[in-house]
Amino acid sequence: FSKDSCYLPPLRYPATCTFKGSLESEKQQYIIHGGKTPNNELSDKIYVMSVVCKNNKKVTFRCTEKDLVGDVPEARYGHSIDMVYSRGKSMGVVFGGRSYIPSAQRTTEKWNSVADCLPHIFLVDLEFGCSTSYILPELQDGLSFHVSIARNDTIYILGGHSLANNIRPANLYRIRVDLPLGSPAVNCTVLPGGISVSSAILTQTNSDEFVIVGGYQLENQKRMVCNIISLEGNKIEIR
């Protein structure tokens, strides 16, 4: 890390994504949000990591902490953050995860008990450091360890684990974000053909294709199948 970098703790279960900016220095950026700290506390911080020097021997990163104002997402883990691009602008989208129960409800036996975060959509403007939450009627239950796929102005949310119900519903949501000159518009569509999965690994193989590997389909039953996700226009195919 460069000398002007901030401290980045070794977080567990943070949400991460890549961010392509418009400037040459912003070509390779990584967004890190939330997660568990080494002393088992939850973080609400957001970090921007960028490549400042790259040669044959090593890569030097710069890490900066981004302060947010507005509807700041509470500290959480097991959630997702993605970047959407619309009308020449970009925005971070935070969804899902778990957080400790409020301090007023804690007891000695349940001090580290967690609960699903409310199923709100947070739009995060990384340029100006402001965050706005949206309540969508299609999103009724909190989800954690789901799979999120971002492409242009659209995010697909697949699977996930609902702690309140202890189920892994076969969810498939399409969230579209429009960024006009005025206020952003966020809408959600429930799609058929979802899959029941949590804690899976997502890998992008080309611009329109992703692979989902591993994860769980039940509490103690791992998924032993691999899924290929194909995106074409407004269509998503899972096979």
Side-chain angles (χ1 to χ4, degrees), residues 2-228:
S2 62
K3 292 182 179 179
D4 58 347
S5 291
C6 70
Y7 172 67
L8 177 64
L11 299 165
R12 289 177 294 154
Y13 313 121
T16 63
C17 71
T18 58
F19 174 37
K20 297 178 182 178
S22 57
L23 302 177
E24 184 69 24
S25 60
E26 297 176 343
K27 274 193 173 181
Q28 296 186 71
Q29 292 188 98
Y30 307 89
I31 313 301
I32 304 170
H33 178 268
K36 284 189 174 183
T37 65
N39 56 1
N40 217 33
E41 294 180 349
L42 299 185
S43 171
D44 63 352
K45 298 183 181 301
I46 187 166
Y47 300 95
V48 180
M49 196 162 63
S50 57
V51 177
V52 293
C53 180
K54 190 174 184 180
N55 55 40
N56 293 331
K57 293 184 179 180
K58 67 177 182 179
V59 177
T60 302
F61 291 97
R62 177 182 293 119
C63 183
T64 57
E65 183 181 330
K66 196 75 176 180
D67 293 324
L68 297 180
V69 297
D71 304 324
V72 179
E74 65 179 312
R76 61 188 66 202
Y77 71 100
H79 56 302
S80 62
I81 183 169
D82 297 279
M83 295 300 302
V84 291
Y85 304 87
S86 170
R87 304 174 187 260
K89 296 189 286 185
S90 61
M91 198 78 73
V93 181
V94 175
F95 173 72
R98 295 174 184 168
S99 185
Y100 288 130
I101 60 174
S103 56
Q105 301 175 21
R106 291 188 178 188
T107 62
T108 303
E109 295 79 15
K110 296 183 178 181
W111 191 256
N112 289 332
S113 295
V114 295
D116 295 317
C117 294
L118 293 174
H120 296 172
I121 296 289
F122 293 88
L123 292 191
V124 179
D125 189 325
L126 292 172
E127 181 181 359
F128 298 102
C130 54
S131 176
T132 308
S133 68
Y134 294 81
I135 300 175
L136 305 179
E138 295 82 3
L139 301 173
Q140 292 291 323
D141 298 315
L143 286 175
S144 304
F145 297 104
H146 50 278
V147 174
S148 63
I149 299 175
R151 184 171 178 266
N152 299 329
D153 63 351
T154 303
I155 296 173
Y156 294 93
I157 303 291
L158 291 86
H161 180 235
S162 174
L163 193 62
N165 304 315
N166 195 26
I167 58 172
R168 290 167 174 80
N171 293 322
L172 179 53
Y173 300 109
R174 182 177 62 208
I175 298 170
R176 182 161 290 148
V177 180
D178 187 21
L179 300 175
L181 289 176
S183 300
V186 184
N187 66 73
C188 177
T189 304
V190 181
L191 301 177
I195 56 177
S196 177
V197 62
S198 67
S199 302
I201 295 173
L202 176 72
T203 301
Q204 186 168 3
T205 51
N206 62 47
S207 60
D208 301 319
E209 191 174 86
F210 301 79
V211 175
I212 297 177
V213 180
Y216 289 85
Q217 60 188 29
L218 295 173
E219 187 67 28
N220 45 21
Q221 184 177 347
K222 297 179 180 179
R223 287 186 92 243
M224 305 302 291
V225 297
C226 171
N227 292 98
I228 295 178

